[in-house]
Amino acid sequence: MCGPKGSIFCAGVSVFCATFVFVVGGLVQNMYPFAGYEILDYHAQETTVGQQAKDISRTCYLAGGAYFSFALVATISYFIQNKCRGHRRFS
């Protein structure tokens, strides 16, 4: 595992990525034209565009949840490492 600084960095990056993926999922779910739903229309063979957008947004939300769980693990790691080392702030 990395030190407290690395844990906070990982937590910050994970929160940023989760927020970004949630926003992209929301844009795709609402079929925002610049989020690429026209590409979905071009490749629509078996399913409808709405079903594809729903599946993609669901996958984005699952990825965002995974990023938030990584952020939680990194934050817990930060506090455990600070407690073991006796630090109260960034070291």
Side-chain angles (χ1 to χ4, degrees):
M1 225 39 223
C2 53
K5 289 180 184 178
S7 295
I8 286 297
F9 176 76
C10 288
V13 169
S14 294
V15 168
F16 171 77
C17 291
T19 305
F20 180 77
V21 170
F22 279 134
V23 168
V24 169
L27 291 174
V28 170
Q29 184 177 8
N30 292 322
M31 292 190 180
Y32 185 68
F34 300 109
Y37 95 93
E38 285 128 357
I39 297 171
L40 296 176
D41 190 23
Y42 177 73
H43 293 293
Q45 296 171 357
E46 298 175 5
T47 59
T48 64
V49 175
Q51 182 61 37
Q52 286 181 346
K54 183 179 175 184
D55 292 343
I56 292 170
S57 63
R58 182 178 155 268
T59 304
C60 287
Y61 295 145
L62 288 173
Y67 274 120
F68 268 128
S69 61
F70 288 137
L72 180 65
V73 168
T75 305
I76 291 170
S77 172
Y78 168 75
F79 286 115
I80 289 173
Q81 289 178 18
N82 272 346
K83 185 175 181 178
C84 291
R85 293 182 183 190
H87 296 272
R88 296 181 189 190
R89 302 289 286 168
F90 293 103
S91 56

Coordinates of all heavy atoms in Angstrom, one line a residue:
M1 N 0.8 -1.2 0.0 CA 0.0 0.0 0.0 C 0.9 1.2 0.0 O 2.0 1.2 0.4 CB -0.8 0.0 1.3 CG -2.3 0.2 1.3 SD -3.4 -0.3 0.1 CE -4.4 1.2 0.0
C2 N 0.3 2.3 -0.4 CA 1.1 3.6 -0.4 C 0.9 4.3 0.9 O 0.1 3.9 1.7 CB 0.6 4.4 -1.6 SG -1.1 4.7 -1.7
G3 N 1.6 5.4 1.1 CA 1.5 6.2 2.3 C 0.2 7.0 2.3 O -0.6 6.9 1.4
P4 N 0.1 7.9 3.3 CA -1.1 8.7 3.5 C -1.3 9.7 2.3 O -2.4 9.9 1.9 CB -0.8 9.5 4.8 CG 0.2 8.7 5.5 CD 1.0 8.0 4.5
K5 N -0.2 10.2 1.8 CA -0.3 11.1 0.6 C -0.8 10.4 -0.6 O -1.7 10.9 -1.3 CB 1.0 11.8 0.3 CG 1.5 12.8 1.4 CD 2.8 13.4 1.0 CE 3.3 14.3 2.1 NZ 4.6 14.9 1.7
G6 N -0.3 9.2 -0.8 CA -0.8 8.4 -2.0 C -2.3 8.0 -1.8 O -3.0 8.0 -2.8
S7 N -2.7 7.7 -0.6 CA -4.1 7.3 -0.3 C -5.0 8.5 -0.6 O -6.1 8.3 -1.2 CB -4.2 6.9 1.1 OG -3.5 5.7 1.4
I8 N -4.6 9.7 -0.2 CA -5.5 10.9 -0.4 C -5.5 11.2 -1.9 O -6.6 11.5 -2.4 CB -5.0 12.1 0.4 CG1 -5.3 11.9 1.9 CG2 -5.5 13.4 -0.1 CD1 -6.8 11.8 2.1
F9 N -4.4 11.0 -2.6 CA -4.4 11.2 -4.0 C -5.3 10.3 -4.7 O -6.1 10.7 -5.6 CB -2.9 11.1 -4.6 CG -2.8 11.2 -6.1 CD1 -2.9 12.5 -6.7 CD2 -2.7 10.1 -6.9 CE1 -2.9 12.6 -8.0 CE2 -2.6 10.2 -8.2 CZ -2.7 11.5 -8.8
C10 N -5.2 9.0 -4.4 CA -6.1 8.0 -5.0 C -7.6 8.3 -4.7 O -8.4 8.1 -5.6 CB -5.7 6.6 -4.5 SG -4.2 6.0 -5.1
A11 N -7.9 8.7 -3.5 CA -9.2 9.1 -3.1 C -9.7 10.2 -4.0 O -10.9 10.2 -4.5 CB -9.4 9.4 -1.7
G12 N -8.9 11.3 -4.1 CA -9.3 12.4 -4.9 C -9.5 12.1 -6.4 O -10.5 12.5 -7.0
V13 N -8.6 11.3 -6.9 CA -8.8 10.9 -8.3 C -10.0 10.0 -8.5 O -10.8 10.2 -9.5 CB -7.5 10.2 -8.8 CG1 -7.7 9.5 -10.2 CG2 -6.3 11.1 -8.9
S14 N -10.3 9.2 -7.6 CA -11.5 8.3 -7.7 C -12.7 9.1 -7.6 O -13.7 8.8 -8.3 CB -11.4 7.3 -6.6 OG -10.4 6.4 -6.7
V15 N -12.8 10.1 -6.7 CA -14.0 10.9 -6.6 C -14.2 11.7 -7.9 O -15.3 11.8 -8.4 CB -13.9 11.9 -5.4 CG1 -15.0 12.9 -5.4 CG2 -14.0 11.1 -4.1
F16 N -13.1 12.3 -8.5 CA -13.2 13.0 -9.7 C -13.7 12.1 -10.8 O -14.6 12.5 -11.6 CB -11.8 13.6 -10.1 CG -11.8 14.2 -11.5 CD1 -12.4 15.4 -11.8 CD2 -11.3 13.5 -12.6 CE1 -12.4 15.9 -13.0 CE2 -11.3 14.0 -13.8 CZ -11.8 15.2 -14.1
C17 N -13.1 10.9 -11.0 CA -13.6 10.0 -12.0 C -15.0 9.5 -11.8 O -15.7 9.4 -12.8 CB -12.6 8.8 -12.1 SG -11.0 9.2 -12.6
A18 N -15.4 9.3 -10.6 CA -16.8 8.9 -10.4 C -17.8 10.0 -10.8 O -18.8 9.7 -11.4 CB -17.0 8.5 -8.9
T19 N -17.4 11.2 -10.4 CA -18.3 12.3 -10.8 C -18.4 12.4 -12.3 O -19.5 12.6 -12.8 CB -17.8 13.6 -10.2 OG1 -17.6 13.4 -8.7 CG2 -18.7 14.8 -10.4
F20 N -17.3 12.3 -13.0 CA -17.3 12.4 -14.4 C -18.1 11.3 -15.1 O -18.9 11.5 -16.0 CB -15.8 12.3 -14.9 CG -15.7 12.4 -16.4 CD1 -15.8 13.6 -17.1 CD2 -15.4 11.3 -17.2 CE1 -15.7 13.7 -18.4 CE2 -15.3 11.4 -18.5 CZ -15.5 12.6 -19.2
V21 N -17.9 10.1 -14.6 CA -18.7 8.9 -15.1 C -20.2 9.1 -14.9 O -21.0 8.7 -15.7 CB -18.1 7.6 -14.6 CG1 -19.0 6.4 -15.0 CG2 -16.7 7.4 -15.1
F22 N -20.5 9.6 -13.7 CA -22.0 9.8 -13.4 C -22.6 10.8 -14.3 O -23.7 10.7 -14.8 CB -22.2 10.2 -11.9 CG -22.2 9.1 -11.0 CD1 -21.4 9.2 -9.8 CD2 -22.9 7.9 -11.2 CE1 -21.4 8.1 -8.9 CE2 -22.9 6.9 -10.3 CZ -22.2 7.0 -9.1
V23 N -21.8 11.9 -14.6 CA -22.3 12.9 -15.5 C -22.5 12.4 -16.9 O -23.5 12.6 -17.6 CB -21.3 14.2 -15.5 CG1 -21.7 15.1 -16.6 CG2 -21.4 14.9 -14.2
V24 N -21.5 11.6 -17.4 CA -21.6 11.0 -18.7 C -22.8 10.1 -18.8 O -23.5 10.0 -19.8 CB -20.3 10.3 -19.1 CG1 -20.5 9.4 -20.3 CG2 -19.2 11.3 -19.3
G25 N -23.0 9.3 -17.7 CA -24.1 8.4 -17.7 C -25.4 9.1 -17.8 O -26.4 8.7 -18.4
G26 N -25.5 10.2 -17.1 CA -26.7 11.1 -17.1 C -27.0 11.7 -18.5 O -28.1 11.7 -19.0
L27 N -25.9 12.1 -19.1 CA -26.0 12.7 -20.5 C -26.5 11.6 -21.5 O -27.3 11.9 -22.3 CB -24.7 13.3 -20.9 CG -24.3 14.6 -20.2 CD1 -22.9 14.9 -20.6 CD2 -25.2 15.7 -20.4
V28 N -25.9 10.4 -21.4 CA -26.3 9.4 -22.3 C -27.8 8.9 -22.0 O -28.5 8.7 -23.0 CB -25.4 8.2 -22.2 CG1 -25.9 7.0 -23.0 CG2 -24.0 8.6 -22.7
Q29 N -28.1 8.9 -20.8 CA -29.5 8.5 -20.4 C -30.5 9.5 -21.0 O -31.6 9.1 -21.4 CB -29.6 8.4 -18.9 CG -31.0 7.9 -18.5 CD -31.1 7.7 -16.9 OE1 -30.1 8.1 -16.2 NE2 -32.1 7.1 -16.5
N30 N -30.2 10.7 -20.9 CA -31.1 11.8 -21.4 C -30.9 12.0 -22.9 O -31.5 12.9 -23.5 CB -30.9 13.1 -20.7 CG -31.3 12.9 -19.3 OD1 -32.3 12.3 -19.0 ND2 -30.6 13.6 -18.4
M31 N -30.1 11.2 -23.6 CA -29.8 11.2 -25.0 C -29.4 12.6 -25.5 O -29.9 13.2 -26.4 CB -31.1 10.8 -25.8 CG -31.4 9.3 -25.7 SD -32.6 8.9 -26.8 CE -32.7 7.2 -26.4
Y32 N -28.4 13.2 -24.7 CA -27.8 14.5 -25.1 C -27.1 14.3 -26.4 O -26.3 13.4 -26.5 CB -26.9 14.9 -24.0 CG -26.3 16.3 -24.2 CD1 -27.1 17.4 -24.1 CD2 -24.9 16.4 -24.4 CE1 -26.5 18.6 -24.3 CE2 -24.3 17.6 -24.6 CZ -25.1 18.8 -24.5 OH -24.6 20.0 -24.7
P33 N -27.4 15.1 -27.4 CA -26.8 14.9 -28.8 C -25.3 14.8 -28.8 O -24.7 14.1 -29.7 CB -27.4 16.0 -29.6 CG -28.1 16.9 -28.7 CD -28.2 16.3 -27.4
F34 N -24.6 15.5 -28.0 CA -23.2 15.6 -28.0 C -22.5 14.5 -27.2 O -21.3 14.4 -27.1 CB -22.6 17.0 -27.7 CG -23.2 18.0 -28.6 CD1 -24.1 18.9 -28.1 CD2 -22.7 18.1 -29.9 CE1 -24.6 19.9 -29.0 CE2 -23.2 19.1 -30.7 CZ -24.1 20.0 -30.3
A35 N -23.3 13.6 -26.6 CA -22.8 12.5 -25.8 C -22.6 11.3 -26.6 O -22.3 10.2 -26.1 CB -23.7 12.2 -24.6
G36 N -22.9 11.3 -27.9 CA -22.7 10.2 -28.8 C -23.9 9.3 -29.1 O -23.8 8.2 -29.5
Y37 N -25.1 9.8 -28.8 CA -26.3 8.9 -29.1 C -26.5 8.8 -30.6 O -27.2 7.9 -31.0 CB -27.5 9.4 -28.3 CG -28.5 10.2 -29.0 CD1 -29.5 9.7 -29.7 CD2 -28.3 11.6 -29.0 CE1 -30.5 10.5 -30.3 CE2 -29.2 12.4 -29.6 CZ -30.3 11.9 -30.3 OH -31.2 12.7 -30.9
E38 N -26.0 9.7 -31.4 CA -26.2 9.5 -32.8 C -25.4 8.3 -33.3 O -25.7 7.6 -34.3 CB -25.7 10.8 -33.6 CG -26.7 11.9 -33.5 CD -26.1 13.2 -33.0 OE1 -24.9 13.2 -32.7 OE2 -26.8 14.2 -32.9
I39 N -24.2 8.1 -32.7 CA -23.4 6.9 -33.0 C -24.2 5.6 -32.6 O -24.2 4.6 -33.4 CB -22.1 6.9 -32.2 CG1 -21.3 8.1 -32.7 CG2 -21.3 5.6 -32.4 CD1 -20.1 8.3 -31.9
L40 N -25.0 5.7 -31.6 CA -25.8 4.5 -31.2 C -26.9 4.2 -32.3 O -27.1 3.1 -32.6 CB -26.5 4.8 -29.8 CG -25.6 4.9 -28.6 CD1 -26.5 5.3 -27.4 CD2 -24.9 3.7 -28.4
D41 N -27.4 5.3 -32.8 CA -28.4 5.2 -33.8 C -27.9 4.5 -35.1 O -28.5 3.7 -35.7 CB -29.0 6.5 -34.2 CG -30.2 6.4 -35.1 OD1 -30.9 5.4 -35.1 OD2 -30.5 7.4 -35.8
Y42 N -26.6 4.8 -35.4 CA -26.0 4.2 -36.6 C -25.8 2.7 -36.4 O -25.9 1.9 -37.3 CB -24.7 4.9 -36.8 CG -23.9 4.3 -38.0 CD1 -24.3 4.5 -39.3 CD2 -22.7 3.5 -37.7 CE1 -23.5 4.0 -40.3 CE2 -22.0 3.0 -38.8 CZ -22.4 3.2 -40.1 OH -21.7 2.7 -41.1
H43 N -25.4 2.3 -35.2 CA -25.1 0.9 -34.9 C -26.3 0.1 -34.4 O -26.1 -1.1 -34.0 CB -24.0 0.8 -33.9 CG -22.7 1.3 -34.4 ND1 -22.0 0.6 -35.5 CD2 -21.9 2.4 -34.1 CE1 -20.9 1.3 -35.7 NE2 -20.8 2.4 -34.9
A44 N -27.5 0.7 -34.3 CA -28.7 0.0 -33.8 C -29.1 -1.1 -34.8 O -29.5 -0.8 -35.9 CB -29.8 1.0 -33.6
Q45 N -28.9 -2.3 -34.3 CA -29.3 -3.5 -35.2 C -30.4 -4.3 -34.5 O -31.5 -4.4 -35.1 CB -28.1 -4.4 -35.5 CG -27.1 -3.7 -36.3 CD -25.8 -4.5 -36.4 OE1 -25.7 -5.6 -35.8 NE2 -24.8 -4.0 -37.1
E46 N -30.1 -4.8 -33.3 CA -31.1 -5.6 -32.7 C -32.0 -4.9 -31.6 O -33.1 -5.2 -31.4 CB -30.4 -6.8 -32.0 CG -29.6 -7.7 -32.9 CD -28.8 -8.7 -32.2 OE1 -28.9 -8.8 -30.9 OE2 -28.1 -9.4 -32.8
T47 N -31.4 -3.9 -31.0 CA -32.1 -3.1 -30.0 C -32.4 -1.7 -30.4 O -31.8 -1.2 -31.4 CB -31.3 -3.1 -28.7 OG1 -30.0 -2.5 -28.9 CG2 -31.0 -4.5 -28.2
T48 N -33.2 -1.1 -29.7 CA -33.6 0.3 -30.0 C -32.5 1.2 -29.4 O -31.7 0.8 -28.5 CB -34.9 0.7 -29.5 OG1 -34.9 0.6 -28.0 CG2 -36.0 -0.2 -30.0
V49 N -32.5 2.4 -29.9 CA -31.5 3.4 -29.4 C -31.8 3.7 -27.9 O -30.8 3.8 -27.1 CB -31.6 4.7 -30.2 CG1 -30.7 5.8 -29.6 CG2 -31.3 4.5 -31.7
G50 N -33.0 3.8 -27.5 CA -33.3 4.0 -26.1 C -32.8 2.9 -25.2 O -32.3 3.2 -24.1
Q51 N -33.0 1.7 -25.7 CA -32.5 0.5 -24.9 C -31.0 0.6 -24.8 O -30.4 0.3 -23.7 CB -32.9 -0.8 -25.5 CG -32.5 -2.0 -24.7 CD -33.1 -2.0 -23.3 OE1 -34.3 -1.6 -23.0 NE2 -32.3 -2.4 -22.3
Q52 N -30.3 0.9 -25.8 CA -28.8 1.0 -25.8 C -28.4 2.1 -24.9 O -27.4 1.9 -24.1 CB -28.3 1.2 -27.2 CG -28.3 0.0 -28.1 CD -27.7 0.3 -29.4 OE1 -27.5 1.5 -29.8 NE2 -27.4 -0.7 -30.2
A53 N -29.1 3.3 -24.9 CA -28.7 4.4 -24.0 C -28.9 4.0 -22.6 O -28.1 4.3 -21.7 CB -29.5 5.6 -24.4
K54 N -30.0 3.2 -22.3 CA -30.3 2.8 -20.9 C -29.2 1.8 -20.5 O -28.7 2.0 -19.3 CB -31.6 2.1 -20.9 CG -32.1 1.6 -19.6 CD -33.5 1.0 -19.6 CE -33.8 0.4 -18.3 NZ -35.1 -0.3 -18.4
D55 N -28.8 0.9 -21.3 CA -27.7 0.0 -20.9 C -26.4 0.7 -20.7 O -25.7 0.4 -19.7 CB -27.5 -1.1 -22.0 CG -28.7 -2.0 -22.2 OD1 -29.5 -2.1 -21.2 OD2 -28.8 -2.7 -23.2
I56 N -26.0 1.6 -21.6 CA -24.8 2.4 -21.4 C -24.8 3.2 -20.1 O -23.8 3.3 -19.4 CB -24.5 3.2 -22.6 CG1 -24.2 2.3 -23.8 CG2 -23.3 4.2 -22.4 CD1 -24.1 3.0 -25.1
S57 N -25.9 3.9 -19.9 CA -26.0 4.7 -18.7 C -25.9 3.8 -17.4 O -25.3 4.2 -16.4 CB -27.2 5.6 -18.7 OG -28.4 4.8 -18.7
R58 N -26.5 2.7 -17.4 CA -26.5 1.8 -16.3 C -25.0 1.3 -16.0 O -24.6 1.3 -14.9 CB -27.3 0.5 -16.6 CG -27.4 -0.4 -15.4 CD -28.3 -1.6 -15.7 NE -27.9 -2.8 -15.0 CZ -27.0 -3.7 -15.4 NH1 -26.5 -3.6 -16.6 NH2 -26.7 -4.7 -14.7
T59 N -24.3 1.0 -17.1 CA -22.9 0.7 -17.0 C -22.1 1.8 -16.4 O -21.2 1.6 -15.6 CB -22.3 0.2 -18.4 OG1 -23.2 -0.8 -18.9 CG2 -20.9 -0.3 -18.2
C60 N -22.4 3.0 -16.9 CA -21.7 4.2 -16.3 C -21.9 4.4 -14.8 O -21.0 4.7 -14.1 CB -22.1 5.5 -17.1 SG -21.4 5.6 -18.7
Y61 N -23.2 4.2 -14.4 CA -23.5 4.3 -13.0 C -22.8 3.2 -12.2 O -22.3 3.5 -11.1 CB -25.0 4.2 -12.8 CG -25.7 5.4 -13.4 CD1 -27.0 5.2 -14.0 CD2 -25.2 6.7 -13.4 CE1 -27.7 6.3 -14.5 CE2 -25.9 7.7 -14.0 CZ -27.1 7.5 -14.5 OH -27.8 8.6 -15.1
L62 N -22.7 2.0 -12.7 CA -22.0 0.9 -12.0 C -20.5 1.3 -11.9 O -19.9 1.0 -10.9 CB -22.1 -0.4 -12.7 CG -23.5 -1.0 -12.6 CD1 -23.6 -2.3 -13.5 CD2 -23.8 -1.4 -11.2
A63 N -19.9 1.8 -13.0 CA -18.5 2.2 -12.9 C -18.3 3.3 -11.9 O -17.3 3.4 -11.2 CB -18.0 2.6 -14.3
G64 N -19.2 4.3 -11.9 CA -19.1 5.4 -10.9 C -19.2 4.8 -9.4 O -18.5 5.3 -8.6
G65 N -20.0 3.8 -9.2 CA -20.1 3.2 -7.9 C -18.8 2.5 -7.5 O -18.4 2.6 -6.4
A66 N -18.2 1.9 -8.5 CA -16.9 1.2 -8.3 C -15.8 2.3 -7.9 O -15.0 2.1 -7.0 CB -16.5 0.4 -9.5
Y67 N -15.8 3.4 -8.6 CA -14.9 4.5 -8.3 C -15.1 5.0 -6.9 O -14.2 5.3 -6.2 CB -15.0 5.6 -9.3 CG -14.1 5.4 -10.5 CD1 -14.7 5.4 -11.8 CD2 -12.8 5.3 -10.5 CE1 -14.0 5.2 -12.9 CE2 -12.0 5.1 -11.6 CZ -12.6 5.1 -12.8 OH -11.9 4.9 -14.0
F68 N -16.4 5.2 -6.5 CA -16.6 5.7 -5.1 C -16.2 4.7 -4.1 O -15.8 5.0 -3.0 CB -18.1 6.0 -5.0 CG -18.4 7.5 -5.3 CD1 -19.4 7.8 -6.2 CD2 -17.7 8.5 -4.7 CE1 -19.7 9.1 -6.5 CE2 -17.9 9.8 -5.0 CZ -18.9 10.1 -5.9
S69 N -16.4 3.4 -4.4 CA -15.9 2.4 -3.4 C -14.4 2.4 -3.3 O -13.8 2.2 -2.2 CB -16.4 1.0 -3.8 OG -16.0 0.6 -5.0
F70 N -13.7 2.6 -4.4 CA -12.2 2.8 -4.3 C -11.9 4.0 -3.5 O -10.9 4.0 -2.7 CB -11.6 2.9 -5.7 CG -11.6 1.6 -6.5 CD1 -11.9 1.6 -7.8 CD2 -11.3 0.4 -5.9 CE1 -11.9 0.4 -8.6 CE2 -11.3 -0.8 -6.6 CZ -11.6 -0.8 -7.9
A71 N -12.6 5.1 -3.7 CA -12.4 6.3 -2.9 C -12.6 6.0 -1.4 O -11.8 6.5 -0.5 CB -13.3 7.4 -3.3
L72 N -13.6 5.2 -1.1 CA -13.8 4.9 0.3 C -12.7 4.1 0.9 O -12.2 4.3 2.0 CB -15.2 4.1 0.5 CG -15.6 3.7 1.8 CD1 -15.9 4.9 2.7 CD2 -16.8 2.8 1.8
V73 N -12.2 3.1 0.2 CA -11.1 2.3 0.6 C -9.9 3.1 0.8 O -9.1 3.0 1.8 CB -10.9 1.1 -0.4 CG1 -9.6 0.4 -0.1 CG2 -12.0 0.1 -0.3
A74 N -9.6 4.0 -0.1 CA -8.4 4.9 0.0 C -8.5 5.8 1.2 O -7.5 6.1 1.9 CB -8.2 5.7 -1.3
T75 N -9.7 6.3 1.5 CA -9.9 7.2 2.6 C -9.7 6.5 3.9 O -9.1 7.0 4.8 CB -11.3 7.9 2.5 OG1 -11.4 8.5 1.3 CG2 -11.5 8.8 3.7
I76 N -10.3 5.3 4.0 CA -10.1 4.4 5.2 C -8.6 4.1 5.4 O -8.1 4.1 6.5 CB -10.9 3.2 5.1 CG1 -12.4 3.5 5.2 CG2 -10.5 2.1 6.2 CD1 -13.3 2.4 4.9
S77 N -7.9 3.8 4.3 CA -6.5 3.5 4.3 C -5.7 4.7 4.9 O -4.8 4.6 5.7 CB -6.0 3.1 2.9 OG -4.6 3.0 2.9
Y78 N -6.1 5.9 4.4 CA -5.4 7.1 4.9 C -5.6 7.3 6.5 O -4.6 7.5 7.2 CB -6.0 8.4 4.3 CG -5.6 9.7 4.9 CD1 -4.4 10.2 4.7 CD2 -6.5 10.4 5.7 CE1 -4.0 11.4 5.3 CE2 -6.2 11.6 6.3 CZ -4.9 12.1 6.1 OH -4.5 13.2 6.7
F79 N -6.8 7.1 7.0 CA -7.0 7.2 8.4 C -6.3 6.1 9.2 O -5.7 6.3 10.3 CB -8.5 7.2 8.7 CG -9.1 8.5 8.4 CD1 -10.1 8.6 7.4 CD2 -8.7 9.7 9.0 CE1 -10.7 9.8 7.0 CE2 -9.3 10.9 8.6 CZ -10.3 11.0 7.6
I80 N -6.3 4.9 8.7 CA -5.6 3.8 9.4 C -4.1 4.0 9.4 O -3.4 3.9 10.4 CB -5.9 2.4 8.7 CG1 -7.3 2.0 9.0 CG2 -4.9 1.4 9.1 CD1 -7.8 0.8 8.2
Q81 N -3.5 4.5 8.3 CA -2.1 4.8 8.3 C -1.7 5.9 9.2 O -0.7 5.9 9.8 CB -1.6 5.1 6.8 CG -1.7 3.8 6.0 CD -1.2 4.1 4.6 OE1 -0.6 5.2 4.3 NE2 -1.6 3.3 3.6
N82 N -2.5 6.9 9.3 CA -2.2 8.1 10.2 C -2.3 7.6 11.6 O -1.6 8.1 12.4 CB -3.2 9.2 9.9 CG -2.6 10.1 8.8 OD1 -1.4 10.1 8.5 ND2 -3.5 11.0 8.3
K83 N -3.3 6.8 11.9 CA -3.4 6.3 13.3 C -2.2 5.4 13.7 O -1.7 5.5 14.8 CB -4.7 5.5 13.4 CG -5.0 5.1 14.9 CD -6.4 4.4 15.0 CE -6.6 4.1 16.4 NZ -7.9 3.5 16.6
C84 N -1.8 4.6 12.8 CA -0.6 3.7 13.1 C 0.6 4.5 13.2 O 1.5 4.1 14.0 CB -0.5 2.6 12.0 SG -1.8 1.4 12.0
R85 N 0.8 5.5 12.4 CA 2.0 6.3 12.4 C 2.0 7.5 13.5 O 3.0 8.1 13.7 CB 2.3 7.0 11.1 CG 2.6 5.9 10.0 CD 2.9 6.6 8.7 NE 3.1 5.6 7.7 CZ 3.6 5.9 6.5 NH1 3.9 7.1 6.2 NH2 3.8 4.9 5.6
G86 N 0.8 7.7 14.0 CA 0.7 8.8 15.0 C 0.6 10.2 14.4 O 0.7 11.2 15.1
H87 N 0.3 10.3 13.1 CA 0.2 11.6 12.5 C -1.3 12.1 12.6 O -2.2 11.3 12.6 CB 0.6 11.5 11.0 CG 2.0 11.2 10.8 ND1 3.0 12.1 10.8 CD2 2.6 10.0 10.7 CE1 4.2 11.5 10.6 NE2 3.9 10.2 10.5
R88 N -1.4 13.4 12.6 CA -2.8 13.9 12.6 C -3.1 14.6 11.2 O -4.3 14.7 10.9 CB -2.9 14.9 13.7 CG -2.8 14.3 15.0 CD -3.0 15.3 16.1 NE -2.6 14.6 17.4 CZ -2.9 15.1 18.5 NH1 -3.4 16.3 18.7 NH2 -2.5 14.4 19.6
R89 N -2.2 15.0 10.5 CA -2.4 15.7 9.2 C -1.6 15.0 8.2 O -1.0 13.9 8.4 CB -1.9 17.2 9.3 CG -2.6 18.0 10.4 CD -4.1 18.3 10.1 NE -4.1 19.3 9.1 CZ -5.2 19.6 8.4 NH1 -6.3 19.0 8.7 NH2 -5.3 20.5 7.5
F90 N -1.5 15.6 7.0 CA -0.7 15.0 5.9 C 0.8 14.9 6.4 O 1.3 15.8 7.0 CB -0.7 15.9 4.7 CG -2.1 16.0 4.0 CD1 -2.9 17.1 4.2 CD2 -2.5 14.9 3.3 CE1 -4.1 17.1 3.6 CE2 -3.7 15.0 2.7 CZ -4.6 16.1 2.8
S91 N 1.4 13.8 6.0 CA 2.8 13.6 6.4 C 3.7 13.6 5.2 O 3.3 13.3 4.1 CB 3.0 12.4 7.2 OG 2.5 11.2 6.5

